Amino acid sequence: MDRRAFLELLAAAPLVPAARAGSAVPSYRAVSRFAPAAVPGMPGPWPGRVVSVRSPRCLDEAGTLVDADVVREMTDRGMRALTGETTALGAWRRFFEPRDVVGIKVNAGGGPHVVSSPPIVAEICRNLVAVGVPASSIVVFERFRDQLEGIGYPAHLPEGVGVFAAEAGNERTQNRAYDPETYVDVDFFGEEDTRSNMMRLVTGRLTKIVNVPNMKDHGATGVTGCLKNVAYGCFSNVARSHARGQTHTLTAVGTFAAVEPLRSRCVLQIMDGLRAVWHGGPFARTTRYVFHPRRILFGTDPVAIDRLLLDVIDDKRKAEGAISIWDRSPKHLRVEDADARDADPDVNILIREPGHVAYASHLGLGTADLARIRVEEIEV
């Protein structure tokens, strides 16, 4: 489209049962010049379908080292099961062709212990090259350079694959890497800057995106999975959605993810569940709250995968005797006291909003109803 399209996403809000009575839903104005694809990448061709591949061999006993050969086998089985193809090459060709420019949206915020594993990212690159996508047309990307550089992806990737970060760090002062004509305008708490812009990389160069989130707890959203990784990871100035014990992440995560061209171009979800964080997320500065599901989830529906993630994290918290991610009791709230939160899994610094997953389903991004989610379990 040559002319700018204005999308008023607030209209979807009354449909969402998770938006509680008495809670103010912000007024969102999403501005984009891009039209949606005939079949948007989210939820894609397989809404409500998830393939979960588990292997006890993917990590060493300590959970430190990743076995790249096992990751390759897990990826092969998962992609073939998702697509119904008999070969891995055939499976990847269902999504990509040689003329594509492919972004791999990693999650580097959980360093050093829980990030998008370099062997998984390398395996994605290997398959893209096998399809015929030139290495120079593949970009591993994240918002913050300081987080990205600490992982050392280039040493694991085929020569020529790019690594890109939009900002040096979370300082809210670097905007050149963001598109001034593709944005969401919303006033959350009366802040001066009410605009969040989409990365120029997404709007101007990439034709397809592979989303590679982790399995992580999150202090504002309950969990951070597919939806938050691609939404908050592709826009500027998003941390303003939660402050002083309050958060608008219930509505913000899905709203950002639904903006074009992000929604149409994010065609494949590969959740890295080799390691996970059950408290203190999205960070993982120590191993105290790290556990090892030893699995990878495959799908095109980010909502379905994140709905499963809610139970993975909440079940682990219950097993550890911690409060639920759904807990909203003021007695567990220590506003902006990250030290108290990190020391005690029964402390929240914000009222969490795991209902953001259901909200996203009402924006058409996928299936949140467990009864309609079909999971294929594979052991290798």
Side-chain angles (χ1 to χ4, degrees):
M1 296 175 64
D2 293 330
R3 62 187 181 88
R4 183 170 298 173
F6 290 85
L7 306 177
E8 296 297 340
L9 297 177
L10 182 61
L15 300 175
V16 184
R20 285 165 295 282
S23 63
V25 176
S27 178
Y28 294 94
R29 184 169 65 96
V31 177
S32 175
R33 62 191 180 276
F34 298 92
V39 179
M42 297 185 288
W46 291 288
R49 175 161 168 71
V50 181
V51 177
S52 174
V53 183
R54 183 184 180 278
S55 175
R57 301 179 290 115
C58 64
L59 297 173
D60 65 359
E61 188 173 345
T64 303
L65 299 176
V66 178
D67 190 315
D69 291 334
V70 176
V71 164
R72 177 171 297 185
E73 183 181 1
M74 295 170 76
T75 303
D76 177 282
R77 293 286 300 277
M79 289 295 292
R80 288 192 289 117
L82 176 65
T83 61
E85 295 288 340
T86 58
T87 67
L89 183 60
W92 286 88
R93 281 177 172 165
R94 293 290 293 270
F95 296 96
F96 306 101
E97 54 190 1
R99 66 181 180 179
D100 278 320
V101 179
V102 183
I104 302 173
K105 175 59 184 73
V106 295
N107 189 293
H113 300 294
V114 181
V115 298
S116 302
S117 302
I120 291 179
V121 177
E123 181 61 16
I124 294 169
C125 291
R126 189 188 69 82
N127 281 284
L128 291 172
V129 171
V131 167
V133 178
S136 59
S137 294
I138 303 171
V139 184
V140 175
F141 74 101
E142 177 61 295
R143 278 187 68 198
F144 304 126
R145 186 183 308 125
D146 56 344
Q147 296 177 352
L148 196 58
E149 289 180 346
I151 300 171
Y153 284 113
H156 301 266
L157 306 178
E159 185 176 355
V161 171
V163 177
F164 172 81
E167 305 174 47
N170 192 4
E171 299 173 355
R172 306 183 190 179
T173 58
Q174 298 175 321
N175 296 309
R176 288 179 297 177
Y178 296 97
D179 186 343
E181 296 185 349
T182 308
Y183 59 88
V184 175
D185 193 88
V186 54
D187 182 348
F188 289 120
F189 297 105
E191 62 271 20
E192 182 178 351
D193 184 357
T194 61
R195 187 167 293 184
S196 295
N197 297 75
M198 193 181 294
M199 277 189 196
R200 290 183 190 268
L201 178 70
V202 175
T203 63
R205 186 178 178 209
L206 302 181
T207 62
K208 304 278 179 63
I209 297 171
V210 183
N211 189 20
V212 190
N214 297 108
M215 291 183 165
K216 294 195 297 183
D217 161 275
H218 194 279
T221 53
V223 300
T224 175
C226 297
L227 289 163
K228 188 170 183 295
N229 188 54
V230 78
Y232 277 40
C234 291
F235 279 87
S236 66
N237 194 28
V238 289
R240 63 192 174 91
S241 67
H242 39 284
R244 301 181 296 278
Q246 303 177 56
T247 172
H248 287 293
T249 53
L250 173 69
T251 56
V253 173
T255 298
F256 285 111
V259 179
E260 295 293 350
L262 182 60
R263 180 185 178 184
S264 288
R265 293 180 184 177
C266 189
V267 299
L268 180 60
Q269 315 288 328
I270 299 180
M271 178 173 279
D272 177 355
L274 304 187
R275 308 178 184 94
V277 178
W278 62 269
H279 182 68
F283 309 110
R285 299 187 180 104
T286 74
T287 59
R288 177 180 175 185
Y289 302 118
V290 174
F291 66 111
H292 304 96
R294 299 174 187 261
R295 56 172 158 162
I296 307 174
L297 304 184
F298 300 83
T300 61
D301 183 337
V303 176
I305 294 176
D306 282 2
R307 178 60 189 87
L308 301 178
L309 176 62
L310 290 174
D311 288 348
V312 170
I313 299 302
D314 208 39
D315 288 349
K316 178 62 176 177
R317 290 182 63 85
K318 290 175 182 176
E320 296 288 342
I323 60 173
S324 169
I325 58 173
W326 298 91
D327 184 276
R328 306 184 67 82
S329 172
K331 72 179 182 180
H332 294 128
L333 187 63
R334 298 276 294 274
V335 176
E336 296 184 357
D337 193 341
D339 290 340
R341 184 271 316 275
D342 292 347
D344 184 354
D346 283 340
V347 169
N348 289 327
I349 59 174
L350 296 154
I351 297 296
R352 301 177 188 239
E353 296 292 1
H356 77 274
V357 177
Y359 188 96
S361 75
H362 288 274
L363 295 178
L365 291 170
T367 302
D369 182 356
L370 278 177
R372 297 172 53 218
I373 298 174
R374 306 174 307 283
V375 182
E376 181 176 351
E377 302 274 359
I378 298 173
E379 188 96 5
V380 301

Short mmCIF file of all heavy atoms in Angstrom, two decimals, residues 215-267:
data_model
loop_
_atom_site.label_atom_id
_atom_site.label_comp_id
_atom_site.label_asym_id
_atom_site.label_seq_id
_atom_site.Cartn_x
_atom_site.Cartn_y
_atom_site.Cartn_z
N MET A 215 11.77 -20.32 27.34
CA MET A 215 10.74 -20.57 28.34
C MET A 215 11.14 -19.80 29.60
O MET A 215 12.04 -20.21 30.33
CB MET A 215 10.63 -22.06 28.65
CG MET A 215 10.07 -22.89 27.53
SD MET A 215 9.90 -24.64 28.03
CE MET A 215 8.83 -25.24 26.70
N LYS A 216 10.46 -18.67 29.83
CA LYS A 216 10.87 -17.84 30.97
C LYS A 216 9.68 -17.24 31.70
O LYS A 216 8.70 -16.82 31.09
CB LYS A 216 11.79 -16.70 30.50
CG LYS A 216 13.13 -17.15 29.95
CD LYS A 216 14.12 -16.00 29.83
CE LYS A 216 13.68 -14.95 28.86
NZ LYS A 216 14.70 -13.88 28.71
N ASP A 217 9.81 -17.19 32.99
CA ASP A 217 8.95 -16.40 33.86
C ASP A 217 9.17 -14.92 33.54
O ASP A 217 10.24 -14.53 33.03
CB ASP A 217 9.36 -16.72 35.31
CG ASP A 217 8.92 -15.70 36.33
OD1 ASP A 217 9.63 -14.70 36.52
OD2 ASP A 217 7.87 -15.92 36.94
N HIS A 218 8.17 -14.09 33.83
CA HIS A 218 8.34 -12.64 33.64
C HIS A 218 7.56 -11.89 34.70
O HIS A 218 6.39 -12.20 34.97
CB HIS A 218 7.89 -12.20 32.25
CG HIS A 218 8.34 -10.82 31.89
ND1 HIS A 218 7.68 -9.70 32.32
CD2 HIS A 218 9.40 -10.38 31.15
CE1 HIS A 218 8.29 -8.62 31.86
NE2 HIS A 218 9.34 -9.00 31.15
N GLY A 219 8.20 -10.88 35.28
CA GLY A 219 7.59 -10.15 36.38
C GLY A 219 6.38 -9.32 36.01
O GLY A 219 5.56 -9.00 36.86
N ALA A 220 6.23 -8.95 34.73
CA ALA A 220 5.09 -8.15 34.30
C ALA A 220 4.04 -8.98 33.58
O ALA A 220 2.84 -8.77 33.77
CB ALA A 220 5.55 -7.01 33.39
N THR A 221 4.46 -9.90 32.73
CA THR A 221 3.52 -10.65 31.88
C THR A 221 3.25 -12.07 32.36
O THR A 221 2.47 -12.77 31.76
CB THR A 221 4.06 -10.71 30.44
OG1 THR A 221 5.39 -11.23 30.46
CG2 THR A 221 4.06 -9.35 29.79
N GLY A 222 3.89 -12.49 33.44
CA GLY A 222 3.74 -13.86 33.91
C GLY A 222 4.74 -14.78 33.25
O GLY A 222 5.47 -15.51 33.92
N VAL A 223 4.74 -14.77 31.93
CA VAL A 223 5.75 -15.49 31.15
C VAL A 223 6.20 -14.59 30.01
O VAL A 223 5.48 -13.67 29.60
CB VAL A 223 5.23 -16.82 30.57
CG1 VAL A 223 4.77 -17.77 31.67
CG2 VAL A 223 4.11 -16.59 29.55
N THR A 224 7.38 -14.86 29.49
CA THR A 224 7.81 -14.23 28.26
C THR A 224 8.15 -15.32 27.27
O THR A 224 9.06 -16.11 27.48
CB THR A 224 8.99 -13.26 28.47
OG1 THR A 224 9.43 -12.76 27.21
CG2 THR A 224 10.15 -13.90 29.22
N GLY A 225 7.35 -15.41 26.22
CA GLY A 225 7.50 -16.47 25.23
C GLY A 225 7.48 -15.90 23.83
O GLY A 225 8.12 -14.87 23.54
N CYS A 226 6.73 -16.54 22.96
CA CYS A 226 6.70 -16.12 21.55
C CYS A 226 6.18 -14.70 21.38
O CYS A 226 6.80 -13.88 20.70
CB CYS A 226 5.81 -17.07 20.75
SG CYS A 226 6.38 -18.78 20.69
N LEU A 227 5.05 -14.40 21.99
CA LEU A 227 4.41 -13.11 21.77
C LEU A 227 5.27 -11.95 22.25
O LEU A 227 5.53 -11.00 21.51
CB LEU A 227 3.06 -13.07 22.48
CG LEU A 227 1.96 -13.94 21.88
CD1 LEU A 227 0.83 -14.14 22.88
CD2 LEU A 227 1.43 -13.32 20.59
N LYS A 228 5.75 -12.04 23.46
CA LYS A 228 6.52 -10.92 24.00
C LYS A 228 7.88 -10.80 23.31
O LYS A 228 8.36 -9.68 23.10
CB LYS A 228 6.70 -11.06 25.50
CG LYS A 228 7.33 -9.81 26.12
CD LYS A 228 7.28 -9.84 27.62
CE LYS A 228 7.86 -8.53 28.18
NZ LYS A 228 9.29 -8.38 27.87
N ASN A 229 8.50 -11.91 22.95
CA ASN A 229 9.81 -11.85 22.31
C ASN A 229 9.73 -11.10 20.99
O ASN A 229 10.61 -10.28 20.67
CB ASN A 229 10.36 -13.25 22.07
CG ASN A 229 11.79 -13.23 21.58
OD1 ASN A 229 12.67 -12.63 22.20
ND2 ASN A 229 12.05 -13.89 20.46
N VAL A 230 8.69 -11.34 20.21
CA VAL A 230 8.62 -10.70 18.91
C VAL A 230 7.98 -9.31 18.98
O VAL A 230 8.31 -8.42 18.20
CB VAL A 230 7.87 -11.60 17.90
CG1 VAL A 230 6.37 -11.55 18.10
CG2 VAL A 230 8.23 -11.24 16.47
N ALA A 231 7.10 -9.09 19.96
CA ALA A 231 6.44 -7.79 20.08
C ALA A 231 7.36 -6.77 20.73
O ALA A 231 7.73 -5.75 20.12
CB ALA A 231 5.15 -7.93 20.87
N TYR A 232 7.75 -7.04 21.96
CA TYR A 232 8.62 -6.10 22.66
C TYR A 232 10.04 -6.13 22.11
O TYR A 232 10.81 -5.20 22.36
CB TYR A 232 8.62 -6.41 24.16
CG TYR A 232 7.45 -5.82 24.90
CD1 TYR A 232 6.18 -5.81 24.33
CD2 TYR A 232 7.59 -5.26 26.16
CE1 TYR A 232 5.09 -5.27 25.00
CE2 TYR A 232 6.51 -4.72 26.84
CZ TYR A 232 5.27 -4.73 26.26
OH TYR A 232 4.20 -4.18 26.92
N GLY A 233 10.39 -7.16 21.37
CA GLY A 233 11.71 -7.26 20.79
C GLY A 233 11.87 -6.58 19.45
O GLY A 233 12.98 -6.50 18.92
N CYS A 234 10.78 -6.08 18.88
CA CYS A 234 10.84 -5.42 17.57
C CYS A 234 10.38 -3.97 17.60
O CYS A 234 10.32 -3.32 16.56
CB CYS A 234 10.01 -6.20 16.55
SG CYS A 234 10.71 -7.82 16.12
N PHE A 235 10.02 -3.46 18.78
CA PHE A 235 9.58 -2.08 18.93
C PHE A 235 10.47 -1.35 19.94
O PHE A 235 10.99 -1.96 20.88
CB PHE A 235 8.13 -2.01 19.43
CG PHE A 235 7.10 -2.19 18.36
CD1 PHE A 235 6.67 -3.45 18.00
CD2 PHE A 235 6.55 -1.09 17.73
CE1 PHE A 235 5.70 -3.62 17.02
CE2 PHE A 235 5.58 -1.25 16.74
CZ PHE A 235 5.16 -2.51 16.38
N SER A 236 10.57 -0.07 19.78
CA SER A 236 11.28 0.78 20.74
C SER A 236 10.35 1.18 21.88
O SER A 236 9.12 1.09 21.77
CB SER A 236 11.79 2.05 20.04
OG SER A 236 10.69 2.87 19.61
N ASN A 237 10.96 1.60 22.99
CA ASN A 237 10.23 2.31 24.04
C ASN A 237 9.01 1.53 24.55
O ASN A 237 7.91 2.07 24.67
CB ASN A 237 9.78 3.69 23.51
CG ASN A 237 9.31 4.62 24.61
OD1 ASN A 237 9.74 4.52 25.74
ND2 ASN A 237 8.42 5.54 24.26
N VAL A 238 9.22 0.25 24.87
CA VAL A 238 8.11 -0.58 25.31
C VAL A 238 8.09 -0.82 26.82
O VAL A 238 7.04 -1.16 27.38
CB VAL A 238 8.09 -1.93 24.57
CG1 VAL A 238 7.69 -1.75 23.12
CG2 VAL A 238 9.44 -2.64 24.68
N ALA A 239 9.23 -0.67 27.49
CA ALA A 239 9.27 -0.93 28.93
C ALA A 239 8.36 0.02 29.70
O ALA A 239 7.99 -0.26 30.84
CB ALA A 239 10.70 -0.83 29.45
N ARG A 240 7.96 1.12 29.05
CA ARG A 240 7.08 2.09 29.71
C ARG A 240 5.70 1.51 29.99
O ARG A 240 4.91 2.11 30.73
CB ARG A 240 6.95 3.34 28.83
CG ARG A 240 6.31 3.08 27.49
CD ARG A 240 6.47 4.28 26.53
NE ARG A 240 5.96 3.96 25.21
CZ ARG A 240 4.72 4.19 24.80
NH1 ARG A 240 3.85 4.74 25.62
NH2 ARG A 240 4.36 3.87 23.57
N SER A 241 5.38 0.33 29.44
CA SER A 241 4.06 -0.27 29.66
C SER A 241 3.89 -0.81 31.07
O SER A 241 2.79 -1.17 31.47
CB SER A 241 3.79 -1.39 28.65
OG SER A 241 4.66 -2.48 28.87
N HIS A 242 4.98 -0.91 31.84
CA HIS A 242 4.85 -1.35 33.23
C HIS A 242 5.73 -0.48 34.13
O HIS A 242 6.91 -0.26 33.85
CB HIS A 242 5.17 -2.83 33.40
CG HIS A 242 6.33 -3.34 32.59
ND1 HIS A 242 6.24 -3.59 31.24
CD2 HIS A 242 7.59 -3.69 32.95
CE1 HIS A 242 7.39 -4.06 30.81
NE2 HIS A 242 8.24 -4.12 31.82
N ALA A 243 5.10 0.00 35.21
CA ALA A 243 5.81 0.90 36.12
C ALA A 243 5.05 1.00 37.44
O ALA A 243 3.83 0.88 37.48
CB ALA A 243 5.94 2.29 35.50
N ARG A 244 5.81 1.19 38.52
CA ARG A 244 5.25 1.47 39.85
C ARG A 244 4.19 0.45 40.28
O ARG A 244 3.15 0.80 40.81
CB ARG A 244 4.69 2.90 39.89
CG ARG A 244 5.74 3.96 39.60
CD ARG A 244 5.16 5.36 39.66
NE ARG A 244 4.15 5.58 38.61
CZ ARG A 244 4.44 5.90 37.35
NH1 ARG A 244 5.70 6.01 36.95
NH2 ARG A 244 3.48 6.09 36.47
N GLY A 245 4.47 -0.81 40.00
CA GLY A 245 3.57 -1.88 40.44
C GLY A 245 2.43 -2.16 39.50
O GLY A 245 1.69 -3.13 39.68
N GLN A 246 2.26 -1.31 38.48
CA GLN A 246 1.17 -1.48 37.52
C GLN A 246 1.73 -1.87 36.16
O GLN A 246 2.87 -1.54 35.82
CB GLN A 246 0.37 -0.20 37.39
CG GLN A 246 -0.21 0.33 38.68
CD GLN A 246 -0.94 1.64 38.46
OE1 GLN A 246 -1.83 1.75 37.63
NE2 GLN A 246 -0.54 2.66 39.20
N THR A 247 0.91 -2.54 35.37
CA THR A 247 1.35 -2.92 34.03
C THR A 247 0.17 -2.96 33.08
O THR A 247 -0.93 -3.37 33.45
CB THR A 247 2.05 -4.29 34.04
OG1 THR A 247 2.31 -4.69 32.69
CG2 THR A 247 1.22 -5.36 34.73
N HIS A 248 0.42 -2.52 31.86
CA HIS A 248 -0.57 -2.63 30.79
C HIS A 248 -0.17 -3.71 29.78
O HIS A 248 -0.65 -3.69 28.64
CB HIS A 248 -0.71 -1.28 30.08
CG HIS A 248 -1.43 -0.25 30.89
ND1 HIS A 248 -2.78 -0.36 31.20
CD2 HIS A 248 -1.00 0.90 31.47
CE1 HIS A 248 -3.15 0.68 31.93
NE2 HIS A 248 -2.09 1.46 32.10
N THR A 249 0.65 -4.63 30.22
CA THR A 249 1.08 -5.70 29.32
C THR A 249 -0.06 -6.62 28.92
O THR A 249 0.04 -7.31 27.91
CB THR A 249 2.21 -6.53 29.96
OG1 THR A 249 1.79 -6.98 31.25
CG2 THR A 249 3.47 -5.70 30.09
N LEU A 250 -1.13 -6.64 29.68
CA LEU A 250 -2.30 -7.44 29.31
C LEU A 250 -2.72 -7.15 27.88
O LEU A 250 -2.97 -8.07 27.09
CB LEU A 250 -3.47 -7.14 30.26
CG LEU A 250 -4.81 -7.78 29.91
CD1 LEU A 250 -4.76 -9.27 30.10
CD2 LEU A 250 -5.93 -7.17 30.74
N THR A 251 -2.77 -5.88 27.52
CA THR A 251 -3.23 -5.48 26.19
C THR A 251 -2.08 -5.12 25.25
O THR A 251 -2.23 -5.22 24.03
CB THR A 251 -4.18 -4.28 26.30
OG1 THR A 251 -3.51 -3.20 27.00
CG2 THR A 251 -5.45 -4.65 27.05
N ALA A 252 -0.95 -4.69 25.80
CA ALA A 252 0.12 -4.16 24.95
C ALA A 252 0.83 -5.23 24.14
O ALA A 252 1.15 -5.02 22.97
CB ALA A 252 1.15 -3.41 25.81
N VAL A 253 1.08 -6.39 24.73
CA VAL A 253 1.88 -7.41 24.04
C VAL A 253 1.22 -7.84 22.74
O VAL A 253 1.83 -7.81 21.66
CB VAL A 253 2.11 -8.63 24.95
CG1 VAL A 253 2.81 -9.75 24.18
CG2 VAL A 253 2.95 -8.25 26.16
N GLY A 254 -0.04 -8.22 22.80
CA GLY A 254 -0.74 -8.63 21.59
C GLY A 254 -0.93 -7.51 20.60
O GLY A 254 -0.84 -7.70 19.38
N THR A 255 -1.17 -6.29 21.12
CA THR A 255 -1.38 -5.15 20.24
C THR A 255 -0.14 -4.88 19.39
O THR A 255 -0.23 -4.67 18.18
CB THR A 255 -1.75 -3.91 21.05
OG1 THR A 255 -2.99 -4.15 21.73
CG2 THR A 255 -1.90 -2.69 20.16
N PHE A 256 1.03 -4.88 20.02
CA PHE A 256 2.27 -4.67 19.27
C PHE A 256 2.52 -5.81 18.28
O PHE A 256 2.92 -5.57 17.13
CB PHE A 256 3.46 -4.53 20.22
CG PHE A 256 3.53 -3.21 20.92
CD1 PHE A 256 3.31 -3.11 22.29
CD2 PHE A 256 3.81 -2.06 20.22
CE1 PHE A 256 3.37 -1.90 22.94
CE2 PHE A 256 3.88 -0.83 20.86
CZ PHE A 256 3.66 -0.74 22.23
N ALA A 257 2.29 -7.04 18.70
CA ALA A 257 2.55 -8.20 17.82
C ALA A 257 1.64 -8.20 16.60
O ALA A 257 2.00 -8.76 15.56
CB ALA A 257 2.37 -9.51 18.60
N ALA A 258 0.47 -7.56 16.70
CA ALA A 258 -0.50 -7.58 15.61
C ALA A 258 -0.24 -6.54 14.53
O ALA A 258 -0.91 -6.53 13.49
CB ALA A 258 -1.91 -7.37 16.17
N VAL A 259 0.73 -5.65 14.74
CA VAL A 259 0.99 -4.58 13.78
C VAL A 259 1.71 -5.14 12.55
O VAL A 259 2.67 -5.91 12.66
CB VAL A 259 1.82 -3.45 14.42
CG1 VAL A 259 2.11 -2.35 13.40
CG2 VAL A 259 1.09 -2.87 15.63
N GLU A 260 1.25 -4.74 11.38
CA GLU A 260 1.92 -5.11 10.13
C GLU A 260 3.15 -4.22 9.89
O GLU A 260 3.14 -3.06 10.28
CB GLU A 260 0.96 -4.98 8.94
CG GLU A 260 -0.21 -5.94 8.96
CD GLU A 260 0.19 -7.39 8.78
OE1 GLU A 260 1.37 -7.66 8.44
OE2 GLU A 260 -0.66 -8.26 8.99
N PRO A 261 4.23 -4.78 9.31
CA PRO A 261 4.29 -6.11 8.68
C PRO A 261 4.76 -7.22 9.62
O PRO A 261 4.95 -8.35 9.18
CB PRO A 261 5.32 -5.90 7.58
CG PRO A 261 6.30 -4.94 8.18
CD PRO A 261 5.46 -3.99 9.00
N LEU A 262 4.93 -6.90 10.92
CA LEU A 262 5.44 -7.90 11.86
C LEU A 262 4.56 -9.14 11.88
O LEU A 262 5.04 -10.28 11.82
CB LEU A 262 5.55 -7.30 13.26
CG LEU A 262 6.12 -8.20 14.35
CD1 LEU A 262 7.52 -8.66 14.01
CD2 LEU A 262 6.10 -7.47 15.69
N ARG A 263 3.24 -8.93 11.97
CA ARG A 263 2.34 -10.07 12.08
C ARG A 263 2.46 -10.99 10.86
O ARG A 263 2.47 -12.21 11.00
CB ARG A 263 0.89 -9.61 12.22
CG ARG A 263 -0.06 -10.77 12.33
CD ARG A 263 -1.51 -10.35 12.34
NE ARG A 263 -2.35 -11.53 12.41
CZ ARG A 263 -3.68 -11.50 12.37
NH1 ARG A 263 -4.31 -10.33 12.26
NH2 ARG A 263 -4.38 -12.62 12.42
N SER A 264 2.53 -10.44 9.67
CA SER A 264 2.56 -11.26 8.47
C SER A 264 3.91 -11.92 8.24
O SER A 264 3.99 -13.03 7.71
CB SER A 264 2.19 -10.43 7.24
OG SER A 264 0.81 -10.12 7.24
N ARG A 265 4.99 -11.24 8.63
CA ARG A 265 6.33 -11.75 8.30
C ARG A 265 6.89 -12.73 9.32
O ARG A 265 7.86 -13.43 9.02
CB ARG A 265 7.29 -10.56 8.13
CG ARG A 265 6.92 -9.72 6.92
CD ARG A 265 7.83 -8.52 6.70
NE ARG A 265 7.35 -7.73 5.57
CZ ARG A 265 7.87 -6.60 5.16
NH1 ARG A 265 8.94 -6.10 5.79
NH2 ARG A 265 7.36 -5.96 4.12
N CYS A 266 6.30 -12.80 10.51
CA CYS A 266 6.78 -13.74 11.52
C CYS A 266 6.10 -15.10 11.27
O CYS A 266 5.01 -15.37 11.77
CB CYS A 266 6.47 -13.23 12.92
SG CYS A 266 7.25 -14.19 14.23
N VAL A 267 6.76 -15.95 10.49
CA VAL A 267 6.09 -17.14 9.94
C VAL A 267 6.35 -18.42 10.69
O VAL A 267 5.67 -19.42 10.48
CB VAL A 267 6.50 -17.33 8.46
CG1 VAL A 267 6.07 -16.14 7.62
CG2 VAL A 267 8.00 -17.59 8.32
#
